[in-house]
Every structure is written in structure tokens, then in C-alpha cells.
Amino acid sequence: MAKILISALLCVAMFGSMAIGSPECPTPNGRFASGEQCDSYTECQDGTPVEKLCPDGLLFHQRTKATGECTYAPYSTCKERARLQPANGTEECPRQFGFYPNGDATKCGVYRNCAHGVASLTKCPEGLAFNEETYQCDWPDLVANCNAEAYLGFNCPAADSADDSAAAPVDVSPEGELRYYRHPQTCKKYFVCVNGHPRLYNCGKYLAFNSQSKLCDFYNKVPECYALLKEKQRLKAEKQQPPQVAQPEA
């Protein structure tokens, strides 16, 4: 009887310790966020913990209870683990990896994509600016380090100014007041001023902005733009005509 009890206790102790695991290794194998440092993790192999660091600029993301990987900041969940390893930057990059603004608030549509300390410049789609907080291209007025007016080359007229008389009536959205203005240099583009800050839109190759409907429309539905288009086509046709050869006098 005593031998049976001892064997049972040994089994409980052995399998119970395996089930509970250690603080460093909740399960014998896996990767686990460690301590108060967001770019540090513990890799466990057969219950043996090894402390590791992500590459400089990447953070550890705990995907499941026993799996995780080093990834970019917006895709990780650090929560209270705010501490990071000292930066190992270069002249081009604050850290070895990551996406960073180019440092010019008037050219915020271009950002630096850093890998191994080497930066490559990447452009956002037209009219958008790089948002360092989300690692996404965003409206310029929503990006803290971007001067939307200087970047887009347009200042929204004051709502009560004389320049605002040609604008369509104001719309209201969850973001605030919306006012619409045709681009001063082309009928294909227009600005939507959101609470006094511009956002650039493009109608594409074959459409023009209609200030009455505040939508992109066919050119023949926008008289002023249609007249400009016809004049442009006329000038282009004149350039393509072969030069007149003077006839010799009889």
C-alpha cells in the first residue's frame, strides 16, 4: 500500500510540475514575452529558457500563448512593457529596422523604410502622408508632423471670405465641416477642406470635378472644364499638323 501511495505521489509531482511549468517557460517549448521590455522575449526548448532580443527597431508580438515573433511597432501589443534596448541607429535610420518620416513637414508623402540600417525612400499615394503612429499613409491633416497646406500647396479659404463665395454649400460629416474646391491648375483634381485643412482628391483621366454636384463628372457636364478641354485638344491638333511647305512661284 505504501509503495502505491509513493508511486502515485511521484506521478502527481512529476506531471503536475510539467503542467504548471516555470515562470519563464509556461510550456516546455515556445516563445514568450519577457519582463518589462517590449523587444525582449524568452525562447523555451524542452523547458530551458533562453533570453533573446529582437533586431533593433522591431518589437515582440505574442501571437498565441506559446508563439510569437518580432514585428513592426503597430503590429505588436506591448501594453505596459515600454522599455526598449538602446538604439543602434545609422546616419539614415534612427534604428536598424522600421519606417520613419523623412524629417521634412512639407514633403511628408515620402518616408524612410529602414532595413539593417539602410533606408530606402517610399512614396505614399498622391495626396497622402506617412503616419508614423500607424505605419500607414493617411490624410495629411491627421499626421502630427505634416504641414498639410505646404505639402499640398493649397490653403483653404476662410468660410466667411470672399474667395469662398464660389464654393459649394458646406456639408457636415462626423469629422466636421466639409467644403469643396476645384484644383486651381487642373479640372481633374479637387480639394475637400475638412475643418479648414485640405485633402486632395483625383477624378482620374476622363472626368472633371463638378462644383455644383461636388462629384466627379463627364467633361461635357462641366462647361468651364469642357471649354478648357476643347481648347487643349485644338492646340494639340495644331502641333501635330505637318508644316506648310511654300509652293514655288510659277
Side-chain angles (χ1 to χ4, degrees):
M1 187 67 179
K3 289 183 179 180
I4 294 175
L5 285 174
I6 291 172
S7 298
L9 289 173
L10 287 174
C11 289
V12 169
M14 181 174 63
F15 290 106
S17 63
M18 288 177 64
I20 296 173
S22 65
E24 296 84 3
C25 297
T27 61
N29 296 285
R31 291 182 174 183
F32 309 94
S34 60
E36 300 177 352
Q37 189 165 332
C38 193
D39 53 6
S40 172
Y41 63 97
T42 301
E43 184 166 343
C44 294
Q45 294 183 352
D46 298 327
T48 302
V50 178
E51 290 292 328
K52 294 190 175 184
L53 283 175
C54 291
D56 179 39
L58 302 183
L59 305 179
F60 183 75
H61 173 61
Q62 191 74 56
R63 182 184 294 274
T64 68
K65 290 183 178 180
T67 63
E69 67 279 326
C70 296
T71 186
Y72 291 103
Y75 314 119
S76 64
T77 52
C78 287
K79 296 182 179 180
E80 70 279 359
R81 297 182 300 119
R83 188 161 57 88
L84 299 175
Q85 62 183 293
N88 181 26
T90 64
E91 292 184 1
E92 301 178 30
C93 301
R95 289 182 178 271
Q96 291 288 309
F97 290 86
F99 297 163
Y100 304 96
N102 68 4
D104 189 341
T106 68
K107 298 178 181 178
C108 36
V110 178
Y111 60 96
R112 292 173 290 169
N113 181 354
C114 291
H116 303 285
V118 178
S120 59
L121 295 181
T122 306
K123 289 184 178 181
C124 287
E126 181 187 38
L128 299 183
F130 175 67
N131 192 329
E132 188 177 12
E133 295 182 1
T134 62
Y135 271 34
Q136 295 179 348
C137 293
D138 207 343
W139 296 117
D141 59 291
L142 300 181
V143 178
N145 57 1
C146 183
N147 184 330
E149 287 74 15
Y151 170 49
L152 297 178
F154 183 81
N155 288 279
C156 294
D160 56 353
S161 70
D163 293 339
D164 196 55
S165 59
V170 63
D171 285 344
V172 179
S173 78
E175 291 186 279
E177 291 188 347
L178 309 180
R179 295 178 184 273
Y180 299 77
Y181 302 89
R182 182 179 294 125
H183 195 289
Q185 298 176 352
T186 176
C187 286
K188 298 176 183 178
K189 301 177 184 180
Y190 64 100
F191 293 99
V192 178
C193 289
V194 182
N195 295 324
H197 296 290
R199 296 180 181 179
L200 178 64
Y201 289 79
N202 194 324
C203 289
K205 186 175 181 180
Y206 300 106
L207 298 177
F209 175 68
N210 189 327
S211 58
Q212 297 301 314
S213 64
K214 297 171 286 188
L215 298 171
C216 295
D217 208 340
F218 293 107
Y219 268 85
N220 60 0
K221 300 292 183 64
V222 188
E224 61 273 28
C225 291
Y226 188 64
L228 291 173
L229 176 64
K230 298 302 288 185
E231 178 64 14
K232 184 177 179 181
Q233 290 174 342
R234 184 186 68 80
L235 294 174
K236 183 178 180 180
E238 288 182 356
K239 290 182 179 180
Q240 292 177 345
Q241 288 180 356
Q244 296 294 330
V245 179
Q247 298 294 328
E249 295 182 2

